[in-house]
Amino acid sequence: MPGRKRLSRIQIGRETTPGTMVAATTILRVPAAYLSDDRTPEFVEEAVGIFRTDRSVITAISASIDFADTSATPEQLPHFLAMLYGGPITGTADGTGSSGYRYITSIPTTAAPTNRTCTIEAGDDYEIERAGYLKITELTLKGAGASSVMMSARGIAQRVERLTSFSTTTTPEVDDLVFGLSRLYLDPASGSFGTTAVNAQFKGFEITFSGMWERQYTGEASTTVGPIWTFAVFADYEIRGKLTLLHDPAVSGSGGLREHFRTQTPRLMRIDCIGRAYATSGTGTVFGNRRGVRIDLPIKVTKVSPMADDNNVSIVTVEFESRWNATAGTAGSITVCNEIAALP
């Protein structure tokens, strides 16, 4: 019988040594995604009295995977941030007396992030494959009115191999975030994140976080599995995004983002996506005893699109890039709050 999409599964396990595959320990609650075997076969040109011979050799072995749009949950987002920017895999207490934990991922500045990798298992009820040294190279977070906060991602891995059966795991509890409970703040670079709220104007956002994990093919590849890449080097990053706003003060040419585009004035942007309450509340929490995701980025506007409309109401889309800002002394961070003491 053929495989069934509805019986597909994706699960990961944290590797101690990058590339040394381990059993998966948790299921990713995302849409079906399958590993791409990206090995490179090359035909060898030769003259043996025949037009075209099929002599070939595999010169490089790699793998990749694309994760389609899915709900950005506080419970599973830290897995992706750990493999992208070396985010923490153990939480710290969120305030005093609550059941919450914080996972704070700093955007890299003067040093490469910790190289955190996973083994991934993916397949359906017919066939299962796995790959090691999984790295996330691109992560997109977005939200818009009357919808969930979403994420998508791309990753690379060393090689694909067939697996007899999925490792035994459990399906984790997750919390779905909705855009309607999101908040936007914009402040001068000399100020602090989260001081000035943009009220009744925030219509949507989309931010893509890229990490240039460059695969290195060296001479020490495994003679057993073939010419896989040996390791990945973090070479750089890029963060670009969009804000959609009603044509109101926050985006105007008099003190708003349109003016800041013209003068290339940096801003401190905070987006809070707030989830449901902790089982046990306490004090001093990021989101007031709730789960959630906080994005803090220094930004410069790179484009302001002409006005458009949403059901005859004027809106403006603002594009930006985030880089380290000298005045604020930061490249930003992503904070995730959940009730998980350590990633499984």
Side-chain angles (χ1 to χ4, degrees):
M1 293 293 290
R4 301 162 179 84
K5 180 180 179 180
R6 291 295 184 187
L7 296 181
S8 298
R9 192 191 312 177
I10 304 170
Q11 47 192 47
I12 58 172
R14 184 101 20 227
E15 294 176 347
T16 302
T17 301
T20 300
M21 288 193 272
V22 298
T25 54
T26 189
I27 293 175
L28 293 181
R29 300 190 69 169
V30 298
Y34 306 102
L35 288 162
S36 174
D37 192 329
D38 299 334
R39 68 188 63 217
T40 306
E42 291 187 4
F43 287 102
V44 180
E45 292 296 326
E46 58 183 358
V48 293
I50 300 172
F51 277 120
R52 283 182 175 265
T53 63
D54 66 353
R55 178 182 164 197
S56 64
V57 61
I58 300 294
T59 58
I61 296 175
S62 187
S64 60
I65 188 167
D66 288 346
F67 297 92
D69 281 348
T70 187
S71 183
T73 67
E75 293 74 22
Q76 301 215 298
L77 182 58
H79 289 294
F80 292 84
L81 292 171
M83 289 183 280
L84 175 64
Y85 290 149
I89 57 176
T90 302
T92 58
D94 185 18
T96 302
S98 82
S99 55
Y101 292 89
R102 302 174 186 172
Y103 290 78
I104 303 175
T105 301
S106 297
I107 306 302
T109 52
T110 60
T114 302
N115 186 9
R116 303 195 192 280
T117 64
C118 286
T119 298
I120 183 170
E121 301 175 359
D124 56 19
D125 56 322
Y126 176 72
E127 188 173 34
I128 308 153
E129 294 178 320
R130 73 171 181 171
Y133 214 130
L134 176 66
K135 296 297 303 177
I136 297 301
T137 57
E138 185 176 288
L139 173 68
T140 297
L141 297 174
K142 62 183 179 182
S147 67
S148 296
V149 176
M150 304 293 284
M151 61 159 276
S152 59
R154 286 183 161 183
I156 58 171
Q158 276 184 327
R159 63 187 174 94
V160 176
E161 68 177 23
R162 194 171 188 274
L163 192 62
T164 303
S165 60
F166 281 111
S167 300
T168 300
T169 57
T170 58
T171 303
E173 177 191 6
V174 296
D175 180 38
D176 297 299
L177 305 174
V178 295
F179 177 75
L181 298 181
S182 298
R183 312 284 189 263
L184 171 66
Y185 303 83
L186 292 170
D187 288 285
S190 58
S192 301
F193 286 106
T195 301
T196 307
V198 177
N199 294 317
Q201 300 168 60
F202 187 29
K203 293 284 289 182
F205 73 95
E206 181 173 330
I207 307 173
T208 297
F209 302 86
S210 298
M212 287 69 163
W213 288 97
E214 300 296 336
R215 294 165 287 190
Q216 302 301 306
Y217 290 93
T218 70
E220 296 81 27
S222 168
T223 56
T224 303
V225 300
I228 60 175
W229 46 272
T230 313
F231 58 93
V233 174
F234 186 85
D236 203 353
Y237 78 90
E238 185 177 79
I239 301 173
R240 294 180 182 271
K242 299 177 182 179
L243 294 173
T244 301
L245 301 165
L246 291 172
H247 190 218
D248 255 1
V251 78
S252 74
S254 176
L257 291 176
R258 194 189 301 275
E259 179 180 294
H260 300 141
F261 165 59
R262 291 167 179 162
T263 60
Q264 282 299 281
T265 302
R267 307 300 284 172
L268 299 183
M269 181 192 73
R270 169 171 287 178
I271 296 177
D272 281 347
C273 304
I274 303 171
R276 62 188 172 93
Y278 292 148
T280 303
S281 58
T283 61
T285 56
V286 175
F287 300 111
N289 296 307
R290 290 181 173 273
R291 310 180 192 200
V293 175
R294 168 170 290 172
I295 303 168
D296 282 341
L297 295 175
I299 66 169
K300 275 193 173 181
V301 178
T302 56
K303 182 178 180 180
V304 179
S305 298
M307 274 191 294
D309 73 273
D310 180 10
N311 292 320
N312 295 316
V313 176
S314 297
I315 59 172
V316 179
T317 297
V318 174
E319 298 181 24
F320 64 83
E321 185 166 343
S322 178
R323 297 181 176 223
W324 180 81
N325 179 267
T327 301
T330 183
S333 63
I334 306 168
T335 301
V336 181
C337 291
N338 56 36
E339 291 187 286
I340 301 172
L343 298 182

